[in-house]
Amino acid sequence: MISACPACAAVPLAQEIAAGPALQFSVPSMQCAACIGKIERGLTALTGVQSVRVNLSLKRVSVTGQVDPVFITSGLAGLGFDAFPLDFEALQTSRDDLGRALLVRMAIAGFAMMNVMLLSVAVWSGATDATRDLFHLISAMIALPVVAYSGQPFFRNAWSALRVRRLNMDVPISLAILLAASMSLFETLNGGEHAYFDAALSLTFFLLIGRYMDHQTRSAARSAAKELTALEVQTADLVTASGTRTVTATSLCIGDVVLVTSGARVPVDGVLVSQTALMDRALLTGESAAVSVAHGDILQAGEINLGAPMQIRATAVGQDTSLRRVAALIETAENGRNSYTALADRAARIYAPAVHVLALVAFAGWIVATGDVRHALNVAIAVLIITCPCALGLAVPAVSTAAISRLFSAGFLVKHATALERLAEVDYIVFDKTGTLTTPAVVMPDDMTVQDLAISKALAQSSHHPLSKAIVRATAHIAPATLTDIKELQGQGVQGYHNGRRVRLGRGAWLDGDFAGLGLQIGTARMVPIIASETLRDGVLDALKHLDLPSEILTGDAQGPAQHLARQVHLPVTAGASPQDKLARLNVLAQQGRTVLMVGDGLNDTAALASAHASIAPSTALEASRNAADVVALTQSFVDLPLVISVAVASRKLSKQNFAIAAVYNFIAVPIALAGFATPLAAALAMSASSITVILNSQRMRCVK
Amino acid sequence: MNVLVILIPVSLILGGLGLVAFLWTVRSDQYDDDQGNAARILLDD
């Protein structure tokens, strides 16, 4: 928080301390004004909450007060919103100072441009002699300091390119701004007729708009990555002689014994110290069934403990864990992606030399023709200004800003700056199965009463087990029953009391049932079995129908579940694929000239996600996979997946249209400038008109379906 | 034309006031949540 007076700064700080640290949550599913009211009212009602503030643009909630984050997450879940706690420290350090500085430079350039433009109108309407010189002089007094301040981002970029003997877009821009300003100053002091102060300023202003949009796009990608890192808290429960202590996962040493609670991820590679354990390896290998391991077996970081709390002894930490080794595989796979040249860079590569040559030719031509250096320089400057670098500088950022905010409101985080351009080229899709096309689910029996469902939900809410979470999802429309004395029995299930009767949810054997799977028992009645299975993720069938691209499924799971899925979605499937198999298949497809979109979530997909031409991961994916993906889907449903492709295709089309518009303006204006007929008025008109056309054209992104 | 001596400074000062007001809005975080602020006007409480 920035206060108006430095002395006041201490006051809000004192308030913050009294209120406890602000907790931040990412709530991707909030959409509208009603959600703001619902969340703010609903959370304020919770005990201990002092204030709640929703940020709809970032889809975040910040809460102050002495409350447990888990309490808030469950409160939000009760209101019908999925919430992820964010690491406040990490967010605090990532304040967007650069964007703010650009905004201020832009405001100052805009202010100066408007004032100088007003003064110029008087000159264009025929002011002469002393009046004209006075107006030019006042313009110079406004323009020169502003150009020196607001133009800095361009000058700095141009200088860093020139120092290594290269040309970029900023070189002709800086040259145009500097030459226009200094030549106009010279003309003003010598009582000349034409001054380009307004052109120098509007050039700076329009280009800063483009630069600011570009920055917003990139920082959206960066903050998406930060937000996602914050989702996963990298801590471990270290077992010491005096009990357990929570430490960061990176500070563990080989030989340390770590407690992994039920439902938690294994933080390091290690061997099992406890007698037995039941592990979920879906994210690492794609196996949908749980795996039992015994004392002494090897466990890898990232597996989820489904059973009772267990202890492991670390055998590899930090850089040596299997997770890190995969990260190294990803880095090599990503090299291809980093060498992708963005559309704007390709345009700049043609544009920058062409403009310099053109201006030089104009200068030389006029010297040869007339011998008048001053006039020749004026013409050359007019050419530099009029070639509309503004429209070119805005062409791509204006479109990608609109596209990214369009996708964000549909629940997709675009993480990579060139992701949209690569997504637009996709002509083949490879899906992962477990966790991507399918989600773990339970089938509640049809003959269950509402009361049974309410009891199941209340029991399931108190457990971390993925099946419990699936039960909570399956009973979303039911209000939970009121239970007392709820406790979770390690590896067996949950029990509680409802109106004096004991109710239990858990393994069949524990409930004295003849069924091995999950069940519900009320009082002493017979257990009701609940079938656990995989279901298709919401919207997958709709999405596949609308995508209309050749697709296939690569999964690490066994033949049975893989074929079952293949029949449901009518796609070819390869079962039992290892991470290397997936990577190899993608390479084969790439050699066939396909540009492949990879959609996956597991660690076994991570290398494939990184090496594919473009990639999408759901928000439930492992951190490594989300980092490797270009786009992260925050919504549960995949129904909007085709929108990602259509927005990407539309943004490529609109960017190209914008370049075409800029080119048309150049075709008209450049011959006029070369012929020496370009007045400051013509330059101002060409520049403003082309920039505004380009920005308006980009807004058509809102209509993309 | 002597009126210009007054009018030009007046116009610059008025424009400058606008600029200062804008800088204040940037510094007091008023552009952090444009969608939310647009939606909040529809709330009753």
Side-chain angles (χ1 to χ4, degrees), chain A residues 40-41 54-55 57 100 111, chain B residues 15-16 22 29 33-34 40 45:
Chain A
E40 291 190 347
R41 266 196 306 276
V54 169
N55 185 326
S57 318
R100 193 167 279 196
F111 159 79
Chain B
F22 178 79
D29 295 334
D33 184 16
D34 43 353
R40 266 170 210 281
D45 44 31

Side-chain angles (χ1 to χ4, degrees), chain A residues 2 32-34 36-37 40-41 53-58 100 103-104 107-108 111 115 119 131 135 138 142, chain B residues 1 4 8 11-12 15-16 19 22-23 26-29 31-37 39-40 42-43 45:
Chain A
I2 295 168
C32 58
I36 299 183
E40 291 190 347
R41 266 196 306 276
R53 182 77 187 177
V54 169
N55 185 326
L56 189 64
S57 318
L58 295 171
R100 193 167 279 196
L103 198 61
V104 169
I108 289 173
F111 159 79
N115 281 287
L119 296 169
T131 321
F135 278 27
I138 299 172
I142 302 173
Chain B
M1 280 302 189
L4 285 179
I8 289 175
S11 82
L12 283 178
L19 181 68
F22 178 79
L23 291 181
V26 172
R27 283 173 168 272
S28 56
D29 295 334
Y31 297 91
D32 284 4
D33 184 16
D34 43 353
Q35 283 179 32
N37 292 334
R40 266 170 210 281
L42 302 171
L43 296 176
D45 44 31

Side-chain angles (χ1 to χ4, degrees), chain A residues 193-249:
Chain A
E193 197 186 338
H194 292 316
Y196 287 100
F197 290 118
D198 57 304
L201 284 172
S202 43
L203 196 61
T204 319
F205 177 60
F206 284 122
L207 286 168
L208 279 171
I209 296 180
R211 206 46 63 93
Y212 181 66
M213 284 176 161
D214 199 41
H215 173 80
Q216 289 294 82
T217 313
R218 278 164 211 277
S219 75
R222 262 201 308 277
S223 81
K226 282 222 173 69
E227 184 154 322
L228 291 169
T229 358
L231 292 183
E232 224 157 85
V233 186
Q234 300 284 353
T235 59
D237 290 330
L238 180 66
V239 179
T240 58
S242 56
T244 60
R245 192 157 49 89
T246 305
V247 297
T248 55

